[in-house]
Amino acid sequence: MQLYTVHVKGRQWLTDRIFEIRFDRPSGFDFRPGQKIAFVFEQNSRDYTLLGPAHGPELSICVRHVAGGHFSPRLAAAAPGDVFQVTAPSGFFTFKPSPRPAVFVATGTGVAPFVAFERAGVRDFHLLHGVRTAENLIYGPELAAAARAYVPCLSQPVAAGGSTVHFTGRVDAWLATRLPSGGYDFYLCGNGDMIRDVMRLIDERFHSSHVFTETFF
Amino acid sequence: MKIYTQTGDQGKTSLISGERVPKSHPRVQACGEVDELNAVVGALAAALPPGTEAVAAELRRIQSDLLDVGAWLSAAPGSDIQQQLTPLDPDLAGRIERRIDAMTPSLPELKAFILPGGHMSAAWSHVARTVCRRAERSAIALVIPETGGESQGEARNGLAPAIVFLNRLSDYFFVLARYLNHHTGIADVPWRK
C-alpha cells in the first residue's frame, strides 16, 4: 500500500466540534472529487473525504472532533508542520453526469463529498443536509449558491427568532413529502440509519432512480 | 461498525453503477457466483498441504483478481463508473495458462475420466472448478444476446478478459487438484462404468 507523507498547513473551526484542516499536497497526488483518503496510525486508519478542489497546492478535509476518540483529537491538536501518513485516494463516490436530476443527501459531516462536487463545478443539484441544529449547517452559503435547491433539515426545533429557511424534520421526511415522484440520481452520504431510511423511500417512491452511497459510522 | 445495512430488506440491491435491481437480477447473480468462487478458493488455500507455499501465493493473487472481476460484473454496460474501474489485465488468462503449463509435466498422463476427490485440498480444488464453471456461465449470460445479455460493444470488450479468465481458471483448478493429489502421494481415482 502506497503511503504519502503530508504536513499540516492550517486549521479552521467551523463549529465548536467541526473543523477543516489543510495539508500540503504531495506531488503526483491526484484524486476525483468525492474520493477519500485514509490516515494511517498505529496499525489503524481513519477515512476522510477530500474536500477539493481536485487541483491546487493543498488538500483539505472536514473533521468532527470526537472527544476521547482515537484519531480526531490528534487532528484537532495538530500544529502547522506536523506530519501524517495517508493512503492514495480511493472510492467510487464520485459525481456521474446523467439526464436525471441529482439529489444529494447528507447528514452531519457527510456533506463533505458534496462540497468536493461543488468545488469541481457541479451545479443545479438538490442538496438536503440533515443536522440537529442550524449551527451545524457547515458550508451552507457556499452550497446554497450552487444548488438548485438547498434544504437544511433540522431535527431539533428552532427557537423563536431563529432560522426560518429550513425544514424541521429528517431528510427522509422532506423527500417523502416534497420531492415529486420520478427518477433521480441519489447520492447519499452519512450515517447508516439515514441511508437505510432513504433507500426504503427510494424503492417505494422513486423506482427508476440510481443510487450511490457512502456510509460512515 | 455494523455489518448489516438493512437497505436490502425490500429485496433490492444497488449495482456499482447505481441502479436499484432485484437481488435475483442476472448481474447480481453473476457477482454472487464470483464471490462464492472466491470463498471456495479461500477454503482451498486453507486446506493446502505443507510445501505448497507458491500455490498459496497464486491463490491469493487469484482472489484479488476475482474481486476486480466482480467489480466489472457489477457495473451496468455503458455506465460512467466503468470509466473509473481499472481495466482488467489482458494477460489474466495468460498467467493462468502459464501456471497450468508449469504443473502439467509433473503429472501422470491422463487416460480416463477421474473422480473428484483425494486430498482435502484437491477436493476443494474440484469444488472451485465447478463453481468457476457456473460463474463463467453466468458471466457469459450477461454478454450473449441469445441469453438476454445486455453488454454490447465496448462494454462487452471490457468484460472479455474476465470471461476468458474464468474459463482458464476452471482448467487451472482441475490441474491443480491433480497436482495436489500427486504432491501428497494420492493417486487419481479413474471412473469405472
Side-chain angles (χ1 to χ4, degrees):
Chain A
M1 178 172 59
Q2 182 181 10
L3 291 179
Y4 294 86
T5 299
V6 295
H7 301 82
V8 174
K9 300 286 283 185
R11 181 179 53 241
Q12 176 188 4
W13 286 91
L14 307 176
T15 74
D16 61 349
R17 292 182 61 191
I18 301 173
F19 60 90
E20 181 176 322
I21 185 167
R22 296 176 288 107
F23 303 88
D24 61 350
R25 183 193 193 106
S27 67
F29 193 95
D30 296 321
F31 68 94
R32 298 188 188 93
Q35 286 192 304
K36 58 194 174 186
I37 55 176
F39 285 74
V40 179
F41 63 102
E42 297 166 3
Q43 314 290 323
N44 215 327
S45 67
R46 289 289 183 277
D47 290 348
Y48 292 96
T49 299
L50 292 163
L51 290 169
H55 305 286
E58 294 184 346
L59 304 171
S60 56
I61 59 172
C62 174
V63 180
R64 173 177 290 278
H65 179 214
V66 179
H70 287 296
F71 188 64
S72 64
R74 300 183 192 205
L75 290 175
D82 282 0
V83 173
F84 290 89
Q85 299 289 316
V86 302
T87 63
S90 64
F92 297 102
F93 194 73
T94 57
F95 184 72
K96 294 100 182 160
S98 98
R100 292 173 295 277
V103 179
F104 303 157
V105 185
T107 53
T109 54
V111 77
F114 306 131
V115 175
F117 292 176
E118 180 269 326
R119 290 180 179 176
V122 176
R123 295 290 181 270
D124 208 29
F125 51 85
H126 285 70
L127 171 60
L128 283 76
H129 191 186
V131 294
R132 287 186 182 172
T133 58
E135 66 187 15
N136 292 303
L137 292 169
I138 52 176
Y139 306 106
E142 176 182 345
L143 292 165
R148 175 191 291 189
Y150 172 72
V151 185
C153 298
L154 308 186
S155 59
Q156 293 186 356
V158 176
S163 168
T164 56
V165 290
H166 68 272
F167 175 78
T168 301
R170 290 154 40 121
V171 292
D172 54 308
W174 190 93
L175 291 168
T177 56
R178 308 290 178 91
L179 188 68
S181 304
Y184 300 88
D185 280 357
F186 285 97
Y187 292 76
L188 316 179
C189 184
N191 65 64
D193 289 349
M194 178 276 282
I195 288 175
R196 176 199 62 207
D197 294 342
V198 172
M199 198 75 87
R200 282 181 184 159
L201 194 62
I202 291 168
D203 287 344
E204 289 169 11
R205 270 178 61 85
F206 309 106
H207 303 288
S208 55
S209 296
H210 288 203
V211 190
F212 306 95
T213 62
E214 186 85 289
T215 308
F216 62 76
F217 299 87
Chain B
M1 179 176 128
K2 284 194 281 190
I3 190 67
Y4 54 91
T5 65
Q6 301 174 323
T7 58
D9 291 356
Q10 318 296 313
K12 286 188 171 183
T13 190
S14 299
L15 300 180
I16 193 174
S17 46
E19 296 85 349
R20 291 289 287 170
V21 296
K23 292 182 180 180
S24 55
H25 189 282
R27 194 164 288 284
V28 179
Q29 186 161 332
C31 289
E33 283 165 3
V34 169
D35 184 34
E36 181 182 347
L37 172 59
N38 212 336
V40 171
V41 175
L44 161 55
L48 285 174
T52 55
E53 288 73 18
V55 174
E58 278 170 28
L59 294 178
R60 282 194 294 273
R61 174 75 184 268
I62 287 168
Q63 287 187 296
S64 293
D65 291 338
L66 287 172
L67 283 175
D68 290 336
V69 167
W72 272 91
L73 289 173
S74 68
S79 58
D80 190 76
I81 198 77
Q82 286 191 322
Q83 308 302 317
Q84 295 184 35
L85 295 176
T86 304
L88 293 171
D89 180 359
D91 194 41
L92 272 178
R95 209 181 67 235
I96 297 301
E97 288 172 357
R98 289 191 287 279
R99 286 304 308 145
I100 293 172
D101 293 344
M103 286 188 286
T104 301
S106 66
L107 301 176
E109 188 179 356
L110 195 58
K111 295 179 178 173
F113 288 118
I114 58 170
L115 303 184
H119 187 267
M120 180 67 79
S121 60
W124 274 116
S125 197
H126 278 295
V127 175
R129 171 179 62 81
T130 59
V131 173
C132 188
R133 286 286 187 220
R134 174 151 48 85
E136 179 192 5
R137 292 192 294 271
S138 294
I140 287 174
L142 296 176
V143 299
I144 302 294
E146 291 87 332
T147 53
E150 53 182 341
S151 298
Q152 303 292 324
E154 287 303 311
R156 178 175 174 172
N157 290 340
L159 278 179
I163 289 171
V164 181
F165 173 58
L166 290 172
N167 178 270
R168 292 304 181 283
L169 201 51
S170 55
D171 293 332
Y172 165 84
F173 287 126
F174 178 77
V175 174
L176 180 61
R178 296 193 67 222
Y179 175 85
L180 291 168
N181 275 337
H182 185 65
H183 177 81
T184 52
I186 298 174
D188 290 328
V189 178
W191 171 50
R192 299 194 191 287
K193 292 183 182 176

